[in-house]
Amino acid sequence: MEKLRNYVNGKYIEPLSNQYIDNFEPATGNVYSLIPNSNEEDVNQAVEAADLAFPIWSNMSIEERSAILVKVSEGIERRMDEFVAAESKDNGKPISLARSVDIPRAVSNFHFFATAILHFSSESHYMEGVGVNYTTRKPIGIVGCISPWNLPLYLFSWKIAPALAAGNCVIAKPSEITPYTAYLLGEVCNEAGMPPGVLNILHGLGSTVGDAIVKHPKIKAISFTGGTATGEYIARTAAPMFKKLSLELGGKNPNIIFADCDFDTMISTTVRSSFANQGQICLCGSRIFVERSIYEKFKTVFVEKVSNSLVSYPSNPKTHLGAVVSKSHMEKVLSYIELAKAEGGKVLTGGVQIHLEAPYENGYYLRPTVIEGLAYDCRTNQEEIFGPVVTITPFDTEEEVLMMANSTKYGLAGTIWTNDLKRAHRVANNLESGIVWINSWLIRDLRTPFGGVKASGVGREGGWEALRFFTEAKNIFIKYE
Ligand code: NAP
């Protein structure tokens, strides 16, 4: 059985405890590799390496750092097939999705921040007749990056790339459920000439190695993406140590459909925004609100399209939905479908686990599920399910749909379908969320602020926001006389 290792000080090494955890393949339900069960000792060792590397990395010219990160981007691109296959196998996502979205985006993340840093300037504020203020933005030092399993390398690199570009050294932990592409990344960094200790990747459980990263006194900032409950715990732990925190957390996103939209584009995009990556994208629209005059038409066409989606093994190029990420996650999603029924919901399609033929008979496959007839404020419509389950609800007025859309504790993203320009802006303006797509979904420009409001997080990633987060601003004033 293959044993993954930690990447510390530029080398692949065993965890100090020599303990390992099983890594499951969602497509088959089989264990296919072992990953280090790292702990506090491993974090201490990685921090020592990062401490030694920091003066080297932070004093390098921006051009040199940029060139190394461009090479990391190119190195992933060169090994595209290997990364794509690894991501699909580790996560259960369709190989077509790993090829079209996940790995290309990891390539772009490194390239974007490698070049963005060349243009990142600081401010100066002139005081007429008095003097001038200028601001320096220096790297923070050693930072922690902790990421989830749904878009493994995509989200891992979304944090690591700006942290490194800004001149920090990084202790990073991918999700224990999807470690493989992060494991490969170390090789690419070595090939790119990254000095040892600049990036250190530790594998293991959130409750042990993740917790030790959050608590380590020399790690000055934590960039975390994951669930709201974990984010709350991290905030409680790190805030008294005055660490900088960026928290990208859960969502329960509304998809608001008005009768005047372009119906066909809306339908095909809504199938994607509901079920891409088995509904395991924090930006998926899980609560679909449809204006009553087109509700029945929407229901008929949407349910038919969803029922025709192909649920199959991830390496099948025709697969629309692959396996969900783990057995426990599949059971959680199924328990929410039972809850929805108990709350009075009617399952229009899906609602069940399916068993494929051997060797995939024990994989974690769910039929995409559409439920109607639920109150907007029931638990199914308020809590994050994070799987291939959506609810559909009719509405009569703009005020009513905004009230329902804004009724959850979350505020990550929202989608609006309408051809009424004024209404599009009005509803977007009144949605309580960090991101809104109008007549589209998941079109991303890496320069834009990315993140949520309310229980969906604190701070923003992307563009200058990320580079500001990973630097410490100092204002210096000089008097003229
Ligand atoms: P999670 O359980 O919160 O875990 C996220 C990461 O944190 C994993 O690496 C996890 O390690 C680690 N972790 C767990 N407990 C920790 C602790 N006490 N201290 C430090 N680290 C700890 O979330 P998940 O189930 O992996 O991901 C799904 C969630 O992520 C959903 O809620 C989804 O909405 C959210 N998400 C948000 C965004 C966004 O941009 N807002 C993007 C994607 C996903 P283990 O895997 O070992 O537990």
Side-chain angles (χ1 to χ4, degrees):
M1 177 90 55
E2 186 181 14
K3 268 187 182 170
L4 274 57
R5 286 167 296 158
N6 289 328
Y7 174 70
V8 177
N9 207 18
K11 296 194 177 65
Y12 280 98
I13 58 170
E14 313 272 324
L16 292 168
S17 68
N18 211 22
Q19 300 289 308
Y20 287 83
I21 317 168
D22 291 339
N23 185 23
F24 289 85
E25 180 184 5
T28 60
N30 297 332
V31 176
Y32 82 103
S33 62
L34 298 173
I35 73 158
N37 187 1
S38 311
N39 62 28
E40 197 184 339
E41 301 301 311
D42 300 288
V43 175
N44 291 340
Q45 191 185 32
V47 169
E48 274 175 34
D51 218 11
L52 290 175
F54 181 65
I56 300 166
W57 186 244
S58 57
N59 287 322
M60 231 180 221
S61 74
I62 288 174
E63 288 74 14
E64 279 176 289
R65 274 207 309 264
S66 167
I68 291 173
L69 293 173
V70 167
K71 282 189 191 154
V72 173
S73 162
E74 291 167 351
I76 300 171
E77 198 165 26
R78 233 185 343 266
R79 292 168 67 171
M80 180 63 73
D81 290 347
E82 191 185 352
F83 272 95
V84 164
E87 201 70 299
S88 171
K89 182 167 185 169
D90 221 20
N91 174 278
K93 67 178 67 217
I95 196 151
S96 57
L97 192 69
R99 188 176 298 285
S100 59
V101 175
D102 289 78
I103 306 304
R105 178 56 193 277
V107 170
S108 302
N109 287 341
F110 274 106
H111 195 269
F112 175 83
F113 284 108
T115 49
I117 196 67
L118 299 172
H119 308 275
F120 185 52
S121 56
S122 60
E123 310 88 55
S124 82
H125 300 89
Y126 172 65
M127 297 172 78
E128 183 69 46
V130 183
V132 67
N133 297 274
Y134 62 93
T135 307
T136 58
R137 291 190 180 273
K138 294 206 173 148
I140 299 169
I142 306 174
V143 302
C145 295
I146 302 176
S147 60
W149 47 258
N150 63 321
L151 302 166
L153 193 65
Y154 174 136
L155 291 174
F156 197 60
S157 53
W158 183 231
K159 302 180 171 310
I160 289 171
L164 294 173
N168 300 285
C169 290
V170 175
I171 314 295
K173 189 196 101 60
S175 168
E176 126 232 354
I177 308 171
T178 52
Y180 208 97
T181 47
Y183 174 62
L184 294 176
L185 183 64
E187 289 173 15
V188 173
C189 291
N190 286 349
E191 286 158 15
M194 188 178 286
V198 168
L199 172 63
N200 303 276
I201 301 172
L202 300 176
H203 300 277
L205 301 171
S207 53
T208 50
V209 65
D211 195 46
I213 291 173
V214 173
K215 287 180 176 159
H216 199 292
K218 282 198 168 170
I219 298 180
K220 300 291 183 200
I222 302 290
S223 173
F224 169 81
T225 299
T228 293
T230 316
E232 190 187 320
Y233 172 79
I234 289 176
R236 247 187 289 125
T237 310
M241 299 174 80
F242 307 109
K243 296 191 181 203
K244 267 184 124 174
L245 278 180
S246 164
L247 303 173
E248 298 295 338
L249 309 177
K252 188 76 179 172
N253 307 315
N255 178 2
I256 301 173
I257 298 165
F258 288 95
D260 67 346
C261 68
D262 290 334
F263 192 83
D264 293 345
T265 315
M266 176 278 294
I267 282 282
S268 55
T269 310
T270 296
V271 172
R272 244 175 5 96
S273 68
S274 303
F275 299 113
N277 203 35
Q278 298 72 249
Q280 303 166 138
I281 300 180
C282 55
L283 307 164
C284 279
S286 53
R287 295 178 297 146
I288 304 175
F289 298 104
V290 188
E291 195 164 3
R292 197 176 298 276
S293 59
I294 59 160
Y295 183 79
E296 287 304 321
K297 178 182 172 194
F298 171 84
K299 181 167 115 180
T300 308
V301 179
F302 183 62
V303 167
E304 193 200 338
K305 282 210 184 296
V306 172
S307 330
N308 289 334
S309 300
L310 178 66
V311 181
S312 184
Y313 55 96
S315 57
N316 178 351
K318 295 192 174 136
T319 295
H320 295 129
L321 283 87
V324 297
V325 78
S326 67
K327 187 160 188 274
S328 63
H329 190 58
M330 177 178 70
E331 284 161 359
K332 175 190 151 185
V333 175
L334 285 168
S335 77
Y336 268 105
I337 295 170
E338 289 312 307
L339 173 70
K341 290 184 201 159
E343 289 182 319
K346 181 175 169 201
V347 175
L348 300 172
T349 182
V352 288
Q353 180 185 2
I354 57 170
H355 296 276
L356 305 183
E357 288 183 4
Y360 304 107
E361 70 275 29
N362 295 321
Y364 317 133
Y365 299 96
L366 293 174
R367 286 237 38 107
T369 301
V370 181
I371 303 172
E372 75 165 350
L374 287 167
Y376 75 92
D377 57 354
C378 69
R379 280 185 56 204
T380 310
N381 268 330
Q382 294 288 315
E383 297 176 14
E384 186 183 40
I385 302 174
F386 210 53
V389 179
V390 295
T391 63
I392 58 173
T393 308
F395 69 87
D396 292 301
T397 65
E398 201 178 298
E399 293 68 35
E400 181 195 16
V401 77
L402 271 168
M403 181 277 293
M404 294 195 287
N406 289 338
S407 67
T408 74
K409 69 175 181 177
Y410 297 107
L412 185 54
T415 309
I416 301 164
W417 291 93
T418 180
N419 276 320
D420 179 333
L421 183 66
K422 287 183 182 168
R423 175 160 62 195
H425 285 294
R426 202 166 49 232
V427 175
N429 194 41
N430 288 316
L431 264 186
E432 293 169 359
S433 82
I435 302 157
V436 179
W437 280 286
I438 299 170
N439 299 330
S440 59
W441 179 69
L442 201 46
I443 295 181
R444 292 280 295 118
D445 178 331
L446 304 190
R447 295 169 300 180
T448 60
F450 179 88
V453 300
K454 304 199 287 190
S456 288
V458 175
R460 293 291 180 277
E461 298 186 300
W464 298 148
E465 302 274 349
L467 293 176
R468 287 199 192 105
F469 174 77
F470 283 116
T471 50
E472 202 65 83
K474 181 194 283 180
N475 189 70
I476 299 170
F477 171 74
I478 180 158
K479 197 165 179 285
Y480 285 153
E481 289 177 30

